Amino acid sequence: MVRNTAREIAIHLSYELSFTDKTVDALLSQRLTAESFAELAEEEDLYREVPNAKQVAYIRRLVSGVREHGAELDGYIEKYAKGWRFSRIPLVASAIMRVAMYEVMYMPDVPNAAAINEAVEIAKKYETPETVKFINGILGSFSRQELSE
């Protein structure tokens, strides 16, 4: 499994956190198993390969970080979503942006451009072209403003 696949799985799990009452640890323990991957692989090719220990650690770090810093990340999304209230942003789009922003801010081993480019590529699989442009614009403004200060 390559890092962008692990990142996409982290986005799925971050999205799921938006509407579950499970703790992040409970969700990750349930979803990051060979059994869960086998079940999900029937519907989504993304889950055909079970992550190794390093990939599981990366996914856990991303999803836990997004949960822990959710209010801060949502604040940045709202700040750069000119003319949009946060409640209008699709849950998948916000999960994609949260993961990218978390990587940019808290994972120095991930190049900022890679985090943002991967987020936009993943968004193309799940969102309309207009929403992809919206995500790209927010992430671009975020990286220009917040990382240059």
Side-chain angles (χ1 to χ4, degrees):
M1 174 182 296
V2 293
R3 182 171 267 193
N4 60 341
T5 302
R7 182 181 285 116
E8 190 170 349
I9 290 167
I11 289 169
H12 283 204
L13 294 169
S14 295
Y15 167 76
E16 190 172 345
L17 280 174
S18 301
F19 56 85
T20 185
D21 58 356
K22 293 179 183 165
T23 66
V24 69
D25 287 333
L27 178 69
L28 291 171
S29 294
Q30 178 186 6
R31 294 286 185 235
L32 294 176
T33 64
E35 297 80 21
S36 178
F37 270 69
E39 195 175 292
L40 292 168
E42 295 174 15
E43 299 172 28
E44 174 69 57
D45 285 345
L46 186 66
Y47 294 94
R48 278 193 293 166
E49 185 180 343
V50 178
N52 64 30
K54 183 178 177 182
Q55 294 154 343
V56 166
Y58 174 74
I59 293 167
R60 282 185 171 280
R61 183 175 172 201
L62 269 178
V63 177
S64 297
V66 166
R67 172 60 110 199
E68 182 181 341
H69 295 276
E72 174 190 19
L73 301 170
D74 290 353
Y76 285 121
I77 293 169
E78 197 160 30
K79 178 179 178 178
Y80 294 106
K82 305 286 187 216
W84 282 64
R85 288 206 325 266
F86 189 83
S87 60
R88 285 189 54 214
I89 299 171
L91 289 177
V92 172
S94 60
I96 291 167
M97 290 185 284
R98 286 176 186 138
V99 167
M101 288 176 172
Y102 180 80
E103 283 185 302
V104 166
M105 293 180 68
Y106 296 103
M107 297 178 80
D109 55 314
V110 177
N112 296 343
I116 292 169
N117 289 339
E118 285 296 324
V120 171
E121 289 306 310
I122 290 168
K124 289 176 183 177
K125 290 178 65 175
Y126 300 101
E127 294 292 351
T128 65
E130 295 80 21
T131 303
V132 172
K133 284 173 39 179
F134 175 74
I135 290 169
N136 191 35
I138 288 177
L139 293 176
S141 295
F142 164 78
S143 69
R144 283 189 300 278
Q145 296 297 314
E146 301 303 324
L147 302 178
S148 64
E149 295 176 352

